[in-house]
């Protein structure tokens, strides 16, 4: 062994901790510690002196703790056994992290189960050399960035999964909108995990999320994106999903050229004229090509079949339409005066004619059922009080939905129902 030995860091630049391989040292050994480094001396497994940047002579005069644990006979020039650990205190800002497998969670806005991935990077600096070596390194000869990232990955993933899930649920934002909140989420996560690194003598310099995304190959992701693309298309064109389904049904019915009545029945079955209005009526004319539903029709009082306005006899039962019209004079419910055909008000007292859809009898404005045949006449709109025909889903006056739903679970309920069958909520 040389009389005077020079000890200095001789490891790769990405190392955080490096142990000098030779443990046989002599007094007057020169220990060189570079800037941004610290050296910690061990003797018999015990951490002794911590030396900062500069040149240090290993002797009992310059290393006070050694004087009590190192026996130096022969004038203090004999060799002794000790370990020297170099710790790199540079800022490491490029430690990558990412979720090894997608996180499964329920999307709070559309209530779908989706797979979420997150990627980013963090920066660290070894702040407490003693704590870092004693709690994390142990007997390893060296520790690099990859080893440190592998050690903390499980701790990071546990916190990242919890924080992303909680953030989406509490903020009630869609996973497709979360990239707008990445900076805020990064700061929130950094404040949560900074104490974990401090336990090991590491200072968290920075924490950054690069992206939070959905795997393109995930089936739920594909369905969600297709649905949103379809919704955007309909918003641009200016119609709803229900209207689009109506248009598709009308188009299919229009192709059945040999059966116009089937076409008309399909349209009536979809509730045309109640929510869609004149737009659908125009669509009938364009799609059928040979039938104009705006043409006036007369209904047979005997069998209910629709006939052309100029027909003399019913095509369903053969009854005379002229006689039926003459014999079916309607009396005003207010004064008893006969109402001429096509009247909207009584010519005698001015009372509004509110016909029953089945027997055409006149009824009071607020009546719910026909006084003559018992047919349902509809219900008043809860918003504008306009009487709406039975079976209509929306008020023709203000557009308010006539479908009653539970205020708690949105389950459809029936008029007069006191409790929701789905969640038990008391209905007002």
């Amino acid at each position: 062994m040389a009389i005077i030995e020079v000890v200095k860091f001789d490891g790769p630049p990405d190392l955080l901790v490096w142990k000098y391989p030779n443990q046989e040292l002599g007094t007057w050994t020169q220990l060189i510690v570079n800037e941004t480094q610290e050296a910690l001396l061990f003797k018999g497994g015990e951490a002794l002196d911590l030396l900062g940047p500069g040149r240090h002579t290993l002797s009992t005069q310059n290393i006070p703790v050694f004087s009590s644990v190192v026996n130096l006979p022969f004038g203090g020039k004999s060799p002794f056994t000790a370990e020297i650990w170099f710790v790199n205190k540079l800022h490491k800002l490029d430690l990558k992290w990412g979720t090894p497998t997608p996180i499964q969670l329920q999307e709070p806005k559309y209530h779908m189960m989706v797979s979420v991935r997150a990627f980013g990077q963090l920066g660290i600096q070894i702040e407490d050399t003693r704590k870092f070596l004693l709690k994390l390194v142990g007997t390893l000869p060296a520790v690099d960035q990859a080893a440190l990232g592998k050690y903390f990955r499980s701790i990071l993933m546990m916190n990242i999964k919890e924080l992303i899930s909680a953030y989406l649920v509490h903020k009630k934002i869609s996973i497709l909108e979360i990239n707008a909140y990445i900076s805020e989420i990064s700061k929130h996560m950094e404040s949560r995990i900074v104490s974990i690194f401090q336990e090991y003598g590491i200072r968290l310099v920075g924490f950054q999320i690069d992206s939070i995304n959905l795997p393109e190959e995930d089936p739920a992701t594909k369905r969600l994106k297709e649905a949103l693309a379809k919704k955007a298309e309909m918003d641009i064109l200016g119609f709803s999903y229900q209207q689009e389904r109506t248009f598709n049904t009308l188009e299919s019915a229009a192709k059945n050229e040999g059966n116009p009545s089937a076409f008309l029945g399909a349209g009536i079955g979809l509730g045309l004229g109640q929510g869609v209005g004149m737009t659908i009526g125009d669509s009938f004319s364009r799609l059928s090509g040979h039938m104009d539903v705006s043409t006036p029709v007369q209904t047979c009082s005997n069998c209910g079949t629709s006939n052309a306005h100029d027909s003399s006899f019913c095509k369903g039962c053969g009854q005379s339409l002229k006689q039926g019209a003459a014999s079916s004079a309607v009396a005003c419910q207010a004064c008893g005066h006969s109402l001429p055909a096509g009247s909207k008000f009584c010519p005698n007292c001015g009372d509004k004619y509110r016909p029953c859809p089945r027997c055409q009898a006149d009824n009071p404005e607020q009546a719910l059922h026909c006084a003559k045949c018992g047919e349902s006449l509809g219900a008043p709109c809860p918003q504008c009080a306009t009487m709406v025909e039975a079976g209509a889903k929306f008020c023709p006056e203000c557009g308010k939905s006539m479908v009653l739903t539970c205020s708690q679970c949105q389950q459809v309920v029936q008029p007069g129902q006191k409790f929701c069958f789905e969640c038990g909520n008391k209905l007002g």
Side-chain angles (χ1 to χ4, degrees), residues 337-356:
H337 191 275
S338 296
L339 302 177
S343 298
K344 294 184 178 180
F345 297 90
C346 175
N348 184 53
C349 66
D351 183 63
K352 184 178 180 179
Y353 175 39
R354 187 182 178 213
C356 169

Side-chain angles (χ1 to χ4, degrees), residues 5-226:
E5 185 177 2
V6 177
V7 177
K8 63 179 181 178
F9 179 84
D10 192 23
D14 64 335
L15 282 184
L16 298 172
V17 176
W18 181 74
K19 178 183 177 183
Y20 185 68
N22 184 14
Q23 300 182 20
E24 296 294 329
L25 305 173
T27 55
W28 298 345
T29 296
Q30 300 298 299
L31 174 61
I32 300 176
V33 182
N34 297 322
E35 289 288 345
T36 70
Q37 289 182 349
E38 283 183 341
L40 185 61
L41 304 183
F42 280 79
K43 174 65 178 177
E46 182 182 359
L48 301 177
D49 291 278
L50 181 63
L51 305 177
R55 178 186 291 268
H56 305 274
T57 301
L58 301 185
S59 67
T60 57
Q61 297 177 352
N62 295 334
I63 308 176
V65 182
F66 265 22
S67 63
S68 61
V69 296
V70 178
N71 183 16
L72 297 178
F74 311 107
K77 298 181 181 179
S78 61
F80 59 89
T81 301
E83 297 177 359
I84 301 178
W85 292 80
F86 290 90
V87 176
N88 192 344
K89 303 195 73 173
L90 276 174
H91 288 192
K92 300 292 184 180
L93 304 177
D94 57 346
L95 273 70
K96 305 292 184 180
W97 62 265
T99 50
T101 56
I103 303 170
Q104 298 293 326
L105 54 86
Q106 185 179 29
E107 214 280 344
K109 187 172 183 179
Y110 303 105
H111 307 291
M112 295 178 62
M113 292 301 298
V114 293
S115 301
V116 180
R117 298 181 302 189
F119 302 94
Q121 63 183 23
L122 55 89
I124 62 166
Q125 181 193 25
I126 299 176
E127 188 174 42
D128 191 328
T129 299
R130 288 180 182 271
K131 186 184 291 187
F132 181 76
L133 287 173
L134 295 177
K135 298 191 67 171
L136 194 61
V137 178
T139 59
L140 295 175
V143 176
D144 57 9
Q145 293 183 202
L148 188 67
K150 183 178 180 181
Y151 182 85
F152 282 99
R153 182 174 292 115
S154 60
I155 300 177
L156 280 172
M157 291 307 102
M158 178 180 65
N159 284 273
I160 287 172
K161 180 178 180 179
E162 176 191 353
L163 290 173
I164 291 179
S165 302
Y167 202 89
L168 288 174
V169 172
H170 294 159
K171 294 288 186 177
K172 297 187 181 299
I173 59 177
S174 170
I175 186 61
L176 300 177
E177 303 168 354
I178 198 170
N179 282 314
Y181 300 85
I182 278 185
S183 178
E184 183 178 341
I185 299 175
S186 298
K187 294 179 181 178
H188 183 56
M189 287 188 177
E190 182 177 357
S191 64
R192 282 285 300 271
I193 64 177
V194 64
S195 60
I196 299 175
F197 285 86
Q198 286 178 347
E199 294 179 6
Y200 298 92
I202 301 173
R203 184 167 71 93
L204 193 62
V205 178
F207 183 90
Q208 180 179 350
I209 300 175
D210 293 334
S211 68
I212 300 175
N213 55 63
L214 302 173
E216 294 293 337
E217 66 276 4
D218 183 57
T221 302
K222 292 181 180 179
R223 292 197 302 271
L224 179 58
K225 290 186 176 181
E226 289 173 359

Side-chain angles (χ1 to χ4, degrees), residues 296-354:
V297 297
Q298 52 179 329
T299 304
C300 176
S301 61
N302 183 44
C303 66
T305 302
S306 297
N307 297 270
H309 71 287
D310 55 351
S311 298
S312 299
F313 296 92
C314 174
K315 63 182 179 182
C317 63
Q319 176 176 300
S320 175
L321 299 177
K322 302 298 183 181
Q323 294 178 355
S327 61
S328 59
V330 179
C332 172
Q333 58 87 22
C335 65
H337 191 275
S338 296
L339 302 177
S343 298
K344 294 184 178 180
F345 297 90
C346 175
N348 184 53
C349 66
D351 183 63
K352 184 178 180 179
Y353 175 39
R354 187 182 178 213

Side-chain angles (χ1 to χ4, degrees), residues 227-243:
L228 291 176
K230 189 67 175 177
K231 181 179 183 300
E233 179 183 355
M234 290 188 293
D235 290 342
I236 294 173
L237 296 177
F239 58 86
S240 65
Y241 175 78
Q242 181 181 4
Q243 289 173 325

